[in-house]
Amino acid sequence: MYESDLSGQTVYLSNALTSLTIIGLICSFCFITFIVNFAAADLSDQETKQTYGCEIASTGIHCDRVESRFNSFYVMGNAKMIYQVTPIDFDSVKGHNGNALALKGYIQKFVTLANNPSLNNQLFSISFWMKQDPTFPSNSAVLSHINFTHTSGWSFERIWKPMDRLKFSVANTRGDLFTVQSPIHSGSFDHIVGTFDGRVVKIYLNGALVNSTRFYGEFQPDPGVPINIGQNSYDHDKAWMGIIDDLRMYARVLSIKEIQDISRDVHSPLEELVGYWPFDNGTKDYSSRDNDFREVVQVVSMAFAPDGRLFFTEKDTGEVRIMKDDKVLPEPFVRIPIRVTGHGGLLGIALDPDFAINHYVYLCYTGFDDKANKIFDKVVRFTEVNNKATTEQIIIPYIPGSSDGLHVGGALTFGPDKKLYLSTGFASTLDLKQNKTNLLGKVLRINRDGTIPSDNPFPNSPVYTWGHRNVYGIALDDKGVGIVTENGEAHYDEINVLNKGGNYGFPTTQGTNTDPTGDNSSNLKPVRFYYQTTAPAQAVYYDEDKFPSLKGKYLVAMFNTGSLHAIALDGTKKIKEEMIIKFPSFYDNIIAVAQSPTGDVYFGADNIYKLDSIDLNHSYPQINWVELTLKDAKLNNIEFEPDNKTISLSIGTDRIGGEIAAPFVNITLPISLFGSAIDLKSYSETTGQEGGLVKQFKITQQFRTSHLDETTVFVELNPNNRGQISIIGSH
């Protein structure tokens, strides 16, 4: 159907921790949808089942214990870029020579230059002035033109501990980085030059050679990614805060005299100049190559009017823009006097359910109280007249913010009950989220005029749910069943079902970077969580017919992965399917997503895209399932040795001799992960004998389809024993 993605590390699974982490393992994923058929045995009340879902992570493969299996797979999608989000005005600051470009770290502002052959040279020199902001505590990508695998390209990275320095790296095709470093003077302008002549990598500071290193291997100059200033070129990470001025790139190695002349503002050589960007009044290239950078502004929320106009918010400009017939109108709908912070700025947008009649547009944004010297969020309503905002009304005047400007929430949507739902972040204050009397770490529900509905769960309170960390998306279906997208810190982003009056446990029973299945309290658990950070953002419920595979599902924009997740719930509000739509033709963040009245799907962040098609003929499993059943046995850990295709279980039995049914363990593994099991060995720590732990075992291979092959190993254990079982797979 077609509608218009093993090294020899050891892996440990701890039953006490209910997690399996597979480090450094690369394999093709299989997804298992079958019901495990266990060998005949006396299945008493002491039988326990454990299911683990395993997904790729930056460390290899990571597995977490889950309540039950669900169908998770990814497909490829095609989309058309219809708008590049670029600010109208260039925000310049004082530089070394005239004006300069300022990057603001957490705000995620950066500039980008599309990759092209003129940028990719076997020999090159890069010259620029930089002023590092000393208040920014992070390793950061100042200039980046290197791919994800570090097998092609180069980069300049600021390292902030133990002392501020700049690192210039050139990659060879084996993934080795050849790096030179120079100290930098935070708060002052430094002149930096990096050169590469095919054999030696050098870095200069203020006209003097500081460091050099020999380069070995092959250099591939085209990394297939853009040049970014202010964050990585391959994953939009490592945002930088500082000022850059007078950037020059050459397709040759500059001499020491030329470098000194540039640093003294005496002479600027023009021979083999690839690009020159003074950043005085914009990001234009003043060489003859027309390599213009583009300043990127992120769209964070979008919503359609019944007449097909798309309203969207630009986080850092404070502008709401309108797109009509895939063309953005020249004048903004409104420009809000926002306070731009790390996560703050112009945030969520929602259009009134009766917009065709009242033309109400609701916005959430970050402001600053000069008298109190505090950051805050507020919700306002405008009336749209001829594509312009009129008649402002304050709906919620004050939601406390954080001093660092992080974790502000700001999602807005209406439900079928015509109530306005709003998310608030925890504002970096861990002591307040489990307090229902404040507005932090909550989902709020209010009437369209800002008053409190009489059927809210807590009397005279806008609080609808609580115990959240940072919700960026809210979506409800036509029956009022809703989800919220919740960001973790380094791990465990969540998709939660919205339950009236529900407590979601943060930060007490569900803490930072902790597996939510370890929460044994009555607090609500996510229906889907992600160990590898995906940063789920805006969500929308899709109910049109243009893309049948999406109908009846929640579409979630994933910032980090640049994908759309289509999530279906069953009648008990548990996840039954997750279809992940990846876009191989481009890599971009996705923050905002919206459904048009005709069923089109628009999404984006740095750019706005329109979904063209989804290839359902080729789907690929996202999750591997590993399932264990134990009876009268306790699993202590599992050790996985991929090179040897061996899984070892450390296990003990509780039952004493003389019982009718022996204790057992049944383990089911995908063949893609392990291969076909061919033998089993055991050792009893109790008796000190080889084979003393196992009474008998049975290996069953199931060959169904290419994605469903499995190995099931049933092991009957000797009672009152402990030791190790090793299951050996085929090579």
Side-chain angles (χ1 to χ4, degrees):
M1 184 186 299
Y2 199 91
E3 283 185 1
S4 115
D5 154 37
L6 297 170
S7 65
Q9 301 285 336
T10 300
V11 183
Y12 299 94
L13 183 148
S14 167
N15 190 47
L17 298 176
T18 66
S19 66
L20 168 62
T21 307
I22 302 177
I23 307 296
L25 173 65
I26 300 174
C27 71
S28 61
F29 278 177
C30 283
F31 190 85
I32 306 169
T33 57
F34 50 81
I35 303 298
V36 177
N37 296 314
F38 298 103
D42 174 22
L43 303 182
S44 71
D45 292 338
Q46 297 181 49
E47 177 185 306
T48 61
K49 294 184 178 181
Q50 301 172 6
T51 301
Y52 295 85
C54 306
E55 297 184 76
I56 194 166
S58 59
T59 53
I61 294 178
H62 181 88
C63 305
D64 282 301
R65 190 170 177 178
V66 297
E67 183 178 351
S68 59
R69 299 179 179 188
F70 56 90
N71 191 19
S72 179
F73 60 96
Y74 67 89
V75 296
M76 299 303 170
N78 291 307
K80 178 183 178 181
M81 186 177 72
I82 55 178
Y83 180 63
Q84 286 189 328
V85 186
T86 303
I88 296 174
D89 301 319
F90 179 74
D91 185 18
S92 61
V93 297
K94 181 176 175 56
H96 173 75
N97 292 311
N99 292 331
L101 172 68
L103 285 306
K104 300 179 180 179
Y106 292 127
I107 294 173
Q108 296 291 327
K109 176 181 176 182
F110 69 102
V111 299
T112 187
L113 172 59
N115 189 38
N116 68 75
S118 71
L119 306 174
N120 304 315
N121 301 285
Q122 289 287 343
L123 316 179
F124 61 88
S125 301
I126 302 163
S127 165
F128 57 94
W129 292 87
M130 66 171 286
K131 183 179 181 179
Q132 175 63 50
D133 188 318
T135 66
F136 191 61
S138 179
N139 295 343
S140 313
V142 180
L143 268 170
S144 180
H145 190 46
I146 192 169
N147 61 5
F148 177 77
T149 56
H150 289 180
T151 55
S152 177
W154 51 265
S155 66
F156 288 87
E157 182 178 349
R158 179 260 183 140
I159 307 297
W160 75 290
K161 281 185 176 182
M163 58 175 288
D164 252 329
R165 59 198 188 277
L166 191 70
K167 182 172 72 172
F168 173 44
S169 301
V170 180
N172 70 13
T173 54
R174 296 194 303 264
D176 303 318
L177 290 180
F178 297 86
T179 297
V180 289
Q181 299 188 31
S182 170
I184 54 176
H185 305 93
S186 293
S188 302
F189 275 102
D190 284 317
H191 181 239
I192 304 294
V193 176
T195 68
F196 177 62
D197 65 0
R199 297 175 302 167
V200 180
V201 181
K202 296 181 180 181
I203 189 168
Y204 297 79
L205 174 69
N206 299 324
L209 177 64
V210 177
N211 202 351
S212 65
T213 190
R214 187 77 166 83
F215 180 89
Y216 296 94
E218 181 183 351
F219 176 63
Q220 166 54 256
D222 183 2
V225 294
I227 296 179
N228 282 354
I229 306 176
Q231 64 178 222
N232 283 341
S233 54
Y234 54 84
D235 67 357
H236 298 270
D237 199 4
K238 292 189 176 178
W240 176 59
M241 182 178 287
I243 299 171
I244 190 168
D245 197 8
D246 280 3
L247 171 64
R248 294 175 171 86
M249 292 182 60
Y250 296 87
R252 65 182 179 89
V253 176
L254 293 173
S255 69
I256 182 63
K257 184 178 185 307
E258 289 174 319
I259 292 171
Q260 290 172 346
D261 285 346
I262 298 173
S263 69
R264 296 166 185 163
D265 300 318
V266 174
H267 173 67
S268 300
L270 300 177
E271 294 82 5
E272 297 186 68
L273 185 66
V274 173
Y276 170 46
W277 302 270
F279 300 124
D280 285 332
N281 297 298
T283 56
K284 179 179 173 57
D285 176 17
Y286 281 81
S287 75
S288 60
R289 303 294 188 111
D290 295 326
N291 283 320
D292 296 342
F293 276 94
R294 178 173 70 92
E295 188 177 4
V296 176
V297 172
Q298 291 179 336
V299 172
V300 295
S301 184
M302 51 177 67
F304 271 96
D307 59 14
R309 288 178 296 166
L310 177 64
F311 290 69
F312 61 89
T313 61
E314 295 180 355
K315 174 183 174 293
D316 295 343
T317 66
E319 292 180 351
V320 178
R321 308 300 299 272
I322 298 176
M323 180 181 290
K324 183 178 181 180
D325 299 326
D326 291 349
K327 303 291 184 183
V328 175
L329 302 184
E331 294 295 322
F333 168 72
V334 68
R335 177 177 286 181
I336 302 291
I338 59 172
R339 177 67 170 235
V340 179
T341 66
H343 295 159
L346 182 54
L347 304 171
I349 187 170
L351 273 56
D352 195 283
D354 298 322
F355 179 86
I357 300 171
N358 58 34
H359 290 252
Y360 289 162
V361 178
Y362 298 78
L363 298 170
C364 179
Y365 70 89
T366 305
F368 188 76
D369 186 336
D370 292 321
K371 293 182 179 179
N373 194 33
K374 289 185 177 180
I375 294 171
F376 67 95
D377 287 348
K378 68 188 298 185
V379 179
V380 298
R381 184 178 77 193
F382 290 97
T383 302
E384 181 270 334
V385 177
N386 296 324
N387 299 316
K388 287 293 184 179
T390 65
T391 319
E392 180 180 2
Q393 179 178 340
I394 297 175
I395 303 300
I396 299 180
Y398 190 91
I399 301 170
S402 62
S403 59
D404 59 10
L406 302 178
H407 314 116
V408 299
L412 285 177
T413 196
F414 275 93
D417 53 6
K418 295 188 176 182
K419 306 301 182 185
L420 181 62
Y421 292 78
L422 161 69
S423 73
T424 67
F426 79 101
S428 302
T429 52
L430 291 174
D431 57 328
L432 296 177
K433 273 52 60 193
Q434 288 294 313
N435 183 342
K436 294 192 293 291
T437 63
N438 72 77
L439 300 183
L440 297 179
K442 310 293 191 295
V443 171
L444 310 180
R445 177 178 180 262
I446 58 176
N447 296 316
R448 66 182 75 185
D449 61 358
T451 58
I452 297 172
S454 59
D455 59 346
N456 267 12
F458 310 110
N460 303 313
S461 171
V463 174
Y464 191 71
T465 62
W466 52 307
H468 297 287
R469 185 178 185 273
N470 198 20
V471 170
Y472 274 131
I474 311 172
L476 296 98
D477 68 11
D478 53 2
K479 297 180 180 180
V481 178
I483 66 164
V484 295
T485 68
E486 189 159 352
N487 280 220
E489 188 181 47
H491 301 292
Y492 296 113
D493 296 333
E494 299 178 355
I495 307 295
N496 284 292
V497 172
L498 195 63
N499 283 332
K500 181 178 180 179
N503 181 357
Y504 293 80
F506 182 80
T508 52
T509 61
Q510 292 187 33
T512 301
N513 299 326
T514 58
D515 177 358
T517 62
D519 178 5
N520 295 319
S521 72
S522 61
N523 292 332
L524 297 172
K525 313 298 189 297
V527 294
R528 177 72 163 104
F529 57 87
Y530 305 88
Y531 173 82
Q532 183 76 16
T533 303
T534 57
Q538 190 175 15
V540 65
Y541 182 74
Y542 189 86
D543 58 3
E544 290 290 342
D545 297 319
K546 184 163 187 175
F547 296 100
S549 65
L550 302 181
K551 190 167 185 178
K553 298 176 182 177
Y554 301 89
L555 301 185
V556 179
M558 295 293 184
F559 176 81
N560 278 11
T561 59
S563 56
L564 291 174
H565 289 219
I567 292 175
L569 302 179
D570 63 18
T572 64
K573 299 182 181 180
K574 294 181 180 179
I575 186 170
K576 67 177 181 181
E577 183 180 280
E578 176 187 47
M579 181 172 71
I580 301 169
I581 307 171
K582 298 185 178 183
F583 299 95
S585 62
F586 63 87
Y587 177 81
D588 230 339
N589 296 129
I590 302 178
I591 302 176
V593 61
Q595 171 193 297
S596 78
T598 58
D600 282 308
V601 175
Y602 287 67
F603 60 91
D606 310 337
N607 305 291
I608 295 179
Y609 297 88
K610 182 179 180 179
L611 183 64
D612 279 342
S613 61
I614 305 169
D615 182 4
L616 300 177
N617 290 319
H618 304 90
S619 63
Y620 308 89
Q622 175 69 16
I623 300 178
N624 264 320
W625 298 108
V626 175
E627 186 163 87
L628 299 168
T629 300
L630 301 104
K631 182 179 180 183
D632 296 322
K634 179 181 179 182
L635 177 69
N636 296 313
N637 64 64
I638 291 181
E639 180 179 309
F640 183 17
E641 300 177 41
D643 271 1
N644 297 324
K645 289 285 183 143
T646 300
I647 293 180
S648 299
L649 292 77
S650 176
I651 201 164
T653 59
D654 299 326
R655 177 165 298 200
I656 62 174
E659 298 286 349
I660 296 175
F664 69 81
V665 59
N666 196 96
I667 181 169
T668 302
L669 303 160
I671 287 178
S672 65
L673 189 65
F674 174 67
S676 301
I678 58 175
D679 199 4
L680 183 145
K681 297 180 180 180
S682 72
Y683 173 78
S684 172
E685 296 175 3
T686 303
T687 65
Q689 295 178 344
E690 297 287 341
L693 179 61
V694 173
K695 186 174 183 180
Q696 60 180 342
F697 68 89
K698 178 182 179 182
I699 298 175
T700 304
Q701 313 291 347
Q702 299 283 346
F703 300 98
R704 304 187 182 186
T705 71
S706 60
H707 288 325
L708 298 179
D709 296 351
E710 69 189 32
T711 293
T712 298
V713 182
F714 175 80
V715 184
E716 188 173 341
L717 304 167
N718 287 317
N720 196 24
N721 217 316
R722 71 176 186 272
Q724 182 170 303
I725 299 168
S726 295
I727 303 170
I728 302 166
S730 59
H731 287 268

